[in-house]
Amino acid sequence: MEQMIRVLVAKPGLDGHDRGAKVIARALRDAGMEVIYTGLRQTPEQIVAAAIQEDVDCVAISILSGAHNTLLPKVAALLKEQGAEDILMLGGGVIPDEDIPFLLDNGIKAVFTPGTPTSKIVECIKENVTK
Amino acid sequence: MKWTEPRQIARLISAVEDGRPGHEEQLKELFYQTGQAHVIGVTGPPGAGKSSLTDKLAKYYVDQGKRVGIIAVDPTSPFSGGSILGDRIRMNDLTTNPNVFIRSMGTRGHLGGLASSTHLVKQILDGAGADIIFIETVGVGQSEVEIVQAADTVLMVMVPGLGDDIQSMKAGIMEIGDVFAINKADLPGADRAKIDIQNMLTFQPEKDWLPLVQMVSVKENTGIEELAKAIEMHRSFLNEEDRLAIRRKRNTRNELIDLLYDKLYRRLVTQGNFERYLEQIVEKTLDPYSAIDKLLEDLRSENEND
Ligand SMILES: Nc1nc2c(ncn2[C@@H]2O[C@H](COP(=O)(O)OP(=O)(O)OP(=O)(O)O)[C@@H](O)[C@H]2O)c(=O)[nH]1
Ligand SMILES: [Mg+2]
């Protein structure tokens, strides 16, 4: 039977546009995944509630605002609180290299900075989601 | 299955959607808890405002202390099998409300038809304690029509300026609407659209319910309460005599056929001797009619051995 990979793509924070998130959403769709796209300005609470209701395998968060060090670990912590720490968490966007180890220590499986080919993200999800 | 355990609800939905075996016992138990929810099918042309309107109506019901389930169906890409499900964009305020559960579904390439799968999701939300269930689909294609038709009340969302499109949609789709919303009434042409639709509806003399037509604007937040009242009037209409029972029996018949088809397809086509007989038919050592008899015979002896 077909075991569909489902991914929530979210763009939290108050800043700007969601072009990057949309590019990722399309790449994942073209790789045969179901992408739940929630649009701009999501709070961590909204992201987590949506991830649970949609029973996603992965939450991919795109951030441009520089608030990654608070937002990403917050989402990871809330997922854990719900007993959903098995959901794969990925971060992307403008994230300085020196912040990445901190994020990896705080529940984020991988961080993708601008210029990463979308195929890498697809690969990462397929590798880490075992269905 | 409890409303207060969204993760459990969500996981059962995935299992059913993926067609994973081993959940029949749970579904059997759940079945006896179903039938309480008022199911509202929401359909109409792409971009008409179905999700935005569902969001507003859901808020209306939540404010009345009701639990609301929302199933939002979007098309799966025929090329990749993947999809982008974007209906939640219009419903973000509801996401964290404990009385709301929203689930997005792709149409996928379902065996027993999409209708069968959405029906099961509907049952899960119903059994988990939803008072109101919305099912949103785009009003194109046969399977979408089947889905919304399986509702107690069908809400058609239209917009000004459809013009001749209304005529072309007429065949098969307009007939299933119980309540019509003309959304985007803030745009020019809403009055015209209302007249067009009302004219069209009066030519369905065989119906004992004349569909209500309500202008709304999600943007300006007008007409929402009136629309909810229209939906409730339809519900009251169903509650008179045995109309609801008749409608649900019709729907249950279709759902039962879908489930049966699903199960038989699984057992007869994807398992057993199907491929072997197929080979023989291609080699002309067996004819298709005898092959079908053999498949049914296989099924019978399989059951005896159970
Ligand atoms: N002017 C105006 N725009 C509206 C109104 N309601 C919704 N819209 C806009 O119409 C667009 C589509 O709204 P949705 O709610 O996503 O429509 P939909 O029918 O669910 O769309 P699909 O699911 O993609 O078919 C959005 O840009 C909305 O902001 C309204 O009352 N007036
Ligand atoms: Mg929609």
Side-chain angles (χ1 to χ4, degrees), chain B residues 44-53 73-74 86-87 90 136-138 157 183-187 216-221:
Chain B
K50 300 178 292 296
S51 303
S52 313
L53 207 48
V73 184
D74 275 327
D87 295 311
R90 316 277 169 222
E136 177 191 335
T137 67
V138 176
V157 183
N183 187 34
K184 310 197 187 185
D186 52 286
L187 299 179
V216 297
S217 166
V218 172
K219 192 177 170 199
E220 295 182 340
N221 206 10

Side-chain angles (χ1 to χ4, degrees), chain B:
Chain B
M1 195 61 34
K2 284 212 227 82
W3 186 264
T4 48
E5 290 171 351
R7 190 132 213 250
Q8 244 109 38
I9 299 174
R11 293 206 141 162
L12 183 58
I13 292 175
S14 300
V16 162
E17 229 194 329
D18 286 349
R20 269 176 263 152
H23 298 277
E24 275 201 359
E25 286 311 312
Q26 224 174 335
L27 293 173
K28 281 179 194 171
E29 225 172 274
L30 199 78
F31 172 78
Y32 294 97
Q33 319 294 320
T34 61
Q36 297 307 310
H38 179 194
V39 182
I40 303 167
V42 183
T43 193
K50 300 178 292 296
S51 303
S52 313
L53 207 48
T54 300
D55 174 69
K56 292 282 183 200
L57 289 170
K59 276 184 190 135
Y60 171 87
Y61 285 111
V62 167
D63 286 343
Q64 299 197 336
K66 304 258 202 275
R67 285 174 174 165
V68 179
I70 300 172
I71 305 168
V73 184
D74 275 327
T76 293
S77 155
F79 304 107
S80 71
S83 51
I84 296 180
L85 312 175
D87 295 311
R88 285 191 90 102
I89 295 175
R90 316 277 169 222
M91 307 177 185
N92 279 322
D93 301 347
L94 294 175
T95 291
T96 52
N97 191 308
N99 288 321
V100 178
F101 186 104
I102 307 171
R103 182 67 176 223
S104 313
M105 289 179 69
T107 49
R108 299 194 191 175
H110 286 286
L111 291 182
L114 173 62
S116 166
S117 187
T118 40
H119 159 65
L120 288 171
V121 177
K122 177 185 79 185
Q123 287 228 317
I124 293 169
L125 293 178
D126 188 349
D131 299 303
I132 310 282
I133 297 173
F134 291 95
I135 305 179
E136 177 191 335
T137 67
V138 176
V140 290
Q142 188 53 36
S143 56
E144 280 83 357
V145 172
E146 274 168 35
I147 295 166
V148 284
Q149 211 165 9
D152 298 324
T153 301
V154 175
L155 171 63
M156 290 287 274
V157 183
M158 311 299 279
V159 285
L162 286 176
D164 289 344
D165 289 349
I166 292 182
Q167 295 305 318
S168 59
M169 272 187 77
K170 217 169 116 177
I173 296 198
M174 295 292 274
E175 283 89 336
I176 66 173
D178 300 303
V179 177
F180 284 73
I182 299 166
N183 187 34
K184 310 197 187 185
D186 52 286
L187 299 179
D191 296 319
R192 178 80 236 163
K194 184 172 182 185
I195 292 167
D196 283 349
I197 288 167
Q198 271 168 339
N199 280 343
M200 201 207 73
L201 294 173
T202 46
F203 290 109
Q204 301 183 348
E206 75 281 11
K207 280 197 169 181
D208 50 358
W209 164 263
L210 183 65
L212 297 168
V213 183
Q214 175 65 45
M215 300 238 241
V216 297
S217 166
V218 172
K219 192 177 170 199
E220 295 182 340
N221 206 10
T222 54
I224 310 291
E225 201 171 321
E226 290 84 348
L227 181 63
K229 294 265 154 61
I231 291 169
E232 272 156 35
M233 272 176 72
H234 183 254
R235 173 72 200 210
S236 309
F237 168 80
L238 289 177
N239 282 339
E240 288 162 18
E241 302 174 26
D242 47 5
R243 293 187 184 111
L244 185 64
I246 291 170
R247 190 160 177 143
R248 287 195 170 171
K249 185 170 177 187
R250 180 200 72 188
N251 293 342
T252 305
R253 176 190 302 277
N254 291 336
E255 289 158 5
L256 189 60
I257 291 171
D258 283 341
L259 280 174
L260 183 66
Y261 177 84
D262 207 15
K263 187 150 186 171
L264 281 180
Y265 185 95
R266 231 175 272 270
R267 289 193 56 178
L268 291 175
V269 180
T270 65
Q271 300 163 8
N273 289 321
F274 184 90
E275 291 298 327
R276 204 155 61 86
Y277 297 154
L278 177 63
E279 279 305 317
Q280 294 171 5
I281 294 168
V282 172
E283 289 162 5
K284 293 249 170 356
T285 55
L286 180 69
D287 67 85
Y289 314 100
S290 310
I292 289 171
D293 289 339
K294 276 165 160 306
L295 281 168
L296 292 174
E297 186 52 45
D298 291 348
L299 188 67
R300 193 173 320 154
S301 49
E302 213 180 291
N303 282 343
E304 275 162 14
N305 294 338
D306 271 354

